[in-house]
Structures are given as C-alpha cells and as structure tokens.
C-alpha cells in the first residue's frame, strides 16, 4: 500500500534525472517565494496579522514548546492516516481552512483549493467571502467533502439564505466563524489602504444571493454605480456585533447539516457552543488576525478538549506549518487540524497545482514523522507522545 511519505522517494528519484521540485518544500520557503511574486497588497493581506502580530508569533512559539519523544521498533510497515469526521471518511485529519478573497492571489482561487483537496481526499472549508459562488465551487468538485463557513450577517434572512444554499449545493457541514464580526486592526492592510471586498473581490456569495439582491435598488451588474451601492450594502450587513449564543439555536431550523463553531479559545465558550447545538468547535484565533495579545490557539486546546472533547469534535488551526505540528495538535486532543496560510502561498505560486504540492508535502511530512516516532496510526498519539520543554 502506498503512503503519503512516498512522495519523498519520488522526488529523490526525479533528482537522479536532474530534476528538482519547482516549488519550495517548507512553509517558510513558500511564504518567501509568494512574497516575491504576489502583488504587495495580496501578500500583505495573507501574511499579515493584528497589530503587533505577537499572537501570530505566539501561535508558532506554542508548537515549539512541545517536543515529541520518538519510540522505536514498533512495526510501522502498514500505516494509515485516514479518519472519519462528522461521519464522513477523509484521507487524513487535515482540512483546508476557509480563506476569503482568494481571487487576489490566483485566478484558480476557490476552485483551485477545492479541487486540490478533493484530488487528495481531504475536506475543504469554503469561506463565505469566496471569490466564486458556493454553487460554482460545488460544481467544480461535486463529490468532494466540502464544508461551508458562515460569517453571520446582520440580516437574518440573508444568513438563512446562505445556509440553505450551502445545504442545497451539497456542503456537508456549516462552520460558523464567531471571532470576526469585524476585521481586526491590521497594520499591513491599513498601510496599503487595501480591503479587497470594497473592490468587489470576495463577495460573490452576496452578489449572487436572492435575499441580498432583493435589498438592492438595482442589480449590481447593471452599472458601476449599482455595483458601488451593492458593495456599500455588503459593508453594512457583513458583520453582526449583536450576535449572541441564543441566536445560534435558529441554525437548527435552517439546516440538518452538522454545525461547527470556529474561533473558540475559552472552555466556557466551547461549552456554550455545545449547549446551543454545535456538533463541534474549531479552536482558533484566526491566525492571529483578530485579537493581538490573544493566547496561542494550541495553548487553548487542552482546556477545550477537557471541557467538550468527549461530547463533540474539537479541531484546531492557527500556526500549523509542518507534520510535527499536526502530530502535536492531535496528541493534545484535536481530532483534525485546518491548514491555512501555507496552501494560500501555494495557490499564489501555481494555482491548484501549488495547493496540491503544499498538501502532499505536509501529508508526506506527517506520515514520516508519525512513523519515525513509532506510530502507524495517528489515533495512537496522545499526551504520552510529548514532553513540554522550557524554551528560551
Ligand atoms: C483567514 N481566515 C478566515 N477564516 C474564516 O473563517 N473565514 C475567512 O474568510 C477567513 N479568511 C482568511 C483570510 C486569510 C488571508 C487568512 C490568513 C486567514 C482564518 C483561517 O481560516 C484560519 O483560522 C487561519 O488561517 C489559521 O492561521 P494560520 O495557520 O494560517 O496562521
């Protein structure tokens, strides 16, 4: 049986014929290469975090404090990274995180990442702020494990419409992101005065929505002025600072799909999510883009797992960059992780092919890291796999 780690052997084989990988093999290398080719605004939008970016840095430091203690001679010939999440089989416990405004980065945009994940058998989470409509993305990968991420707008009928469209289009879960009813203070974007949505980038799901359109006095396609007014209306309804836990209960009336709440850091919020009908939570600080000074997502994970891990699925994102990071998150109780910025850089460098390169890379790294640490299956890792090292 083939393993994801076999990709290393294939690269070395091609090296004998003088061929080298066209794209960088590390997350850092991908970021550096993307910085060199992307427009300054697009790179800043992807790479940037909130304010001093110390939470972005803390997300990485948190992984560095945990060390894996490898175990030897445990018979790991037959290995399997596959898993089941919310009742659906997946090739590995890695999903692509929802990322908005991808059209800035590459024309393949949301279609590129969804097809790349589908090709490998991974689930992908489509952002509300996608550059293509959720129906177009569904048509591009009809049988894939697609989840839909919801930013809950101020207009409840629009929220309902988006959720119903996602269910109709075959998305398999709704991920409600609760940490971004407004964008955080992001100096890199502020310096370039760049907010893609105001240029009409990343609002395809709104412009195509019957409820959203019913609020406009003219179809956005009709004229530059009509589009301008549509964008203004988007800005007025996007965020919902008034949303509170009881509001979530209505989701159950709108959809039969499993519901995940993304952006959870505190165990009491995880309990509240479950008490209000969630089937799981994503521990995340949005990659350090919202509350600067916030605790690293990985450091929030164990308390959330203790609070709700026996009842619902607990996923993690914010700072996943390599196979060891995935192992550490799983060992601390996550059932799966979401990969963010690295695949966006791959998309920027080479479209769908670039995303596939990044996903196959992290899967190869995870397969080899798990096996060399003595685990044939990721379900075997746990607190016993790690020690906490004092760093610095
Ligand atoms: C995001 N993230 C995000 N989350 C979400 O729920 N909806 C969205 O539209 C976006 N958009 C978005 C754009 C960009 C450029 C980034 C970098 C992130 C957050 C994302 O899903 C995930 O939580 C973070 O990317 C995780 O952090 P790292 O690992 O990428 O640093």
């Amino acid at each position: 049986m083939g393993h994801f780690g076999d990709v290393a052997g294939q690269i070395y084989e091609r090296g004998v014929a003088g061929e080298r990988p066209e794209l960088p093999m590390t997350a850092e290398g991908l970021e550096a290469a993307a910085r060199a080719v992307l427009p300054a605004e697009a790179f800043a939008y992807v790479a940037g975090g909130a304010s001093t970016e110390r939470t972005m840095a803390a997300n990485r430091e948190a992984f560095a404090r945990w060390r894996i203690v490898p175990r030897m001679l445990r018979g790991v010939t037959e290995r399997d990274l596959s898993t089941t999440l919310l009742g659906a089989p997946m090739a590995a416990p890695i999903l692509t995180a929802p990322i908005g405004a991808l059209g800035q980065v590459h024309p393949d945009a949301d279609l590129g990442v969804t097809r790349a994940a589908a090709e490998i058998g991974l689930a992908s989470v489509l952002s509300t702020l996608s550059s293509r409509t959720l129906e177009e993305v569904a048509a591009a990968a009809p049988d894939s494990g697609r989840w839909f991420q919801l930013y809950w707008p101020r207009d409840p009928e629009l929220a309902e419409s988006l959720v119903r469209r996602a269910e109709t289009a075959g998305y398999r879960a709704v991920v409600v992101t609760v940490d971004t009813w407004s964008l955080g203070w992001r100096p890199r974007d502020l310096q370039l005065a760049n907010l893609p949505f105001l240029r009409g980038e990343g609002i395809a799901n709104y412009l195509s929505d019957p409820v959203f359109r019913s609020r406009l006095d003219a179809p956005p396609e009709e004229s530059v002025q009509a589009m301008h007014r549509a964008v203004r209306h988007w800005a007025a309804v996007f965020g919902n600072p008034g949303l509170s836990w009881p509001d979530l209960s209505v989701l159950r009336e709108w959809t039969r799909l499993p519901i995940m709440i993304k952006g959870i850091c505190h165990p009491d919020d995880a309990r509240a999510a479950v008490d209000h009908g969630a089937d799981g939570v994503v521990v995340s600080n949005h990659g350090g883009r919202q509350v600067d000074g916030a605790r690293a997502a990985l450091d929030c994970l164990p308390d959330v797992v203790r609070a709700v891990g026996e009842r619902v699925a607990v996923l993690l994102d914010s700072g996943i960059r390599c196979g060891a990071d995935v192992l550490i998150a799983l060992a601390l109780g996550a059932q799966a992780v979401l990969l963010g910025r690295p695949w966006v850089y791959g998309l920027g460098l080479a479209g769908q092919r670039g995303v596939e390169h990044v996903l196959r890379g992290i899967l190869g790294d995870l397969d080899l890291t798990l096996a060399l640490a003595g685990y044939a299956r990721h379900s075997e890792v746990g607190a016993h796999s790690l020690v906490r090292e004092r760093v610095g």
Side-chain angles (χ1 to χ4, degrees), residues 151 177 179-180 186 262 284-290 317-318:
Y151 279 131
T177 298
D179 59 13
T180 307
R186 300 182 187 165
K262 174 172 179 281
S284 167
N285 56 35
H286 215 99
R289 294 162 74 80
Q290 292 298 97
D317 74 28
S318 298

Side-chain angles (χ1 to χ4, degrees), residues 13-376:
E13 285 288 341
R14 288 198 292 271
V16 176
E19 203 184 310
R20 288 192 178 157
E22 175 206 342
L23 297 170
M25 295 302 304
T26 63
E28 276 181 13
L30 288 161
E31 178 173 344
R35 181 197 290 269
V37 304
L38 287 179
E41 287 82 2
F43 179 77
Y45 183 72
V46 178
S51 199
T52 66
E53 300 190 341
R54 64 182 199 261
T55 288
M56 211 165 84
N59 284 337
R60 296 295 306 131
E61 288 155 16
F63 283 96
R65 283 195 296 272
W66 289 103
R67 300 287 163 84
I68 301 160
V69 186
R71 303 296 307 276
M72 299 298 136
L73 302 181
R74 287 159 54 114
V76 291
T77 321
E78 295 302 328
R79 307 192 303 271
D80 185 6
L81 290 190
S82 69
T83 193
T84 302
L85 202 52
L86 303 180
M90 301 178 184
I94 299 180
L95 299 88
T96 57
I99 304 278
L102 288 174
Q104 292 187 107
V105 169
H106 193 278
D108 286 0
D110 312 281
L111 305 185
V113 58
T114 308
R115 285 191 181 123
E119 195 67 39
I120 300 172
L122 301 180
S124 53
V125 189
L126 182 76
S127 168
T128 309
L129 295 172
S130 52
S131 297
R132 308 292 288 266
T133 68
L134 64 92
E135 288 85 2
E136 285 176 281
V137 173
D143 302 322
S144 64
R146 286 171 283 103
W147 297 9
F148 179 71
Q149 177 264 324
L150 177 73
Y151 279 131
W152 197 299
R154 214 173 290 219
D155 177 344
E157 284 173 38
L158 175 59
E160 177 174 355
S161 176
L162 289 165
V163 170
R164 290 193 186 276
R165 282 171 61 193
E167 181 165 340
T168 304
Y171 290 78
R172 296 180 186 171
V174 175
V175 181
V176 185
T177 298
V178 291
D179 59 13
T180 307
W181 47 266
S182 156
L183 298 187
W185 180 259
R186 300 182 187 165
R188 296 202 214 195
D189 296 334
L190 291 165
Q191 202 71 59
L192 297 168
N194 173 48
L195 186 62
F197 317 107
L198 296 188
R199 288 184 272 105
E201 180 64 67
I203 59 172
N205 285 325
Y206 300 81
L207 298 180
S208 59
D209 190 275
V211 172
F212 184 87
R213 292 174 73 91
S214 75
R215 311 296 196 235
L216 306 174
D217 56 11
E221 308 77 35
E222 198 173 276
S223 66
V224 175
Q225 292 77 7
M227 176 59 98
H228 185 72
R229 286 198 297 278
V231 168
R232 292 284 135 213
H233 184 63
W234 171 83
V237 298
F238 166 73
N240 189 345
L243 203 67
S244 60
W245 288 111
D247 298 324
L248 292 189
S249 309
V250 72
L251 255 183
R252 266 284 152 255
E253 292 164 26
W254 297 344
T255 183
R256 291 182 313 253
L257 295 175
I259 296 163
M260 303 286 294
I261 307 294
K262 174 172 179 281
I264 296 297
C265 301
H266 197 290
D268 288 350
D269 283 351
R271 286 188 197 96
V274 176
D275 292 346
H276 291 90
D279 300 286
V281 296
V282 183
V283 176
S284 167
N285 56 35
H286 215 99
R289 294 162 74 80
Q290 292 298 97
V291 179
D292 194 34
R295 193 179 191 196
L298 187 73
D299 290 333
C300 297
L301 177 64
D303 286 345
V304 171
V305 169
R306 263 189 295 278
V308 301
E310 302 220 318
R311 290 192 281 164
V312 299
V314 178
L315 275 52
L316 172 111
D317 74 28
S318 298
I320 297 285
R321 297 291 178 268
C322 63
D325 294 346
V326 182
L327 193 164
I328 290 166
L330 298 179
L332 293 176
Q335 283 187 24
V337 301
L338 280 65
L339 184 69
R341 289 181 175 97
W343 72 252
V344 188
Y345 297 133
L347 180 75
L349 292 169
Q352 176 182 339
R353 195 167 51 81
V355 182
E356 277 188 51
H357 165 85
V358 175
L359 295 179
R360 290 196 192 281
I362 193 163
L363 288 166
D365 185 0
L366 175 61
D367 176 38
L368 289 177
T369 304
L370 274 168
L372 291 167
Y375 304 105

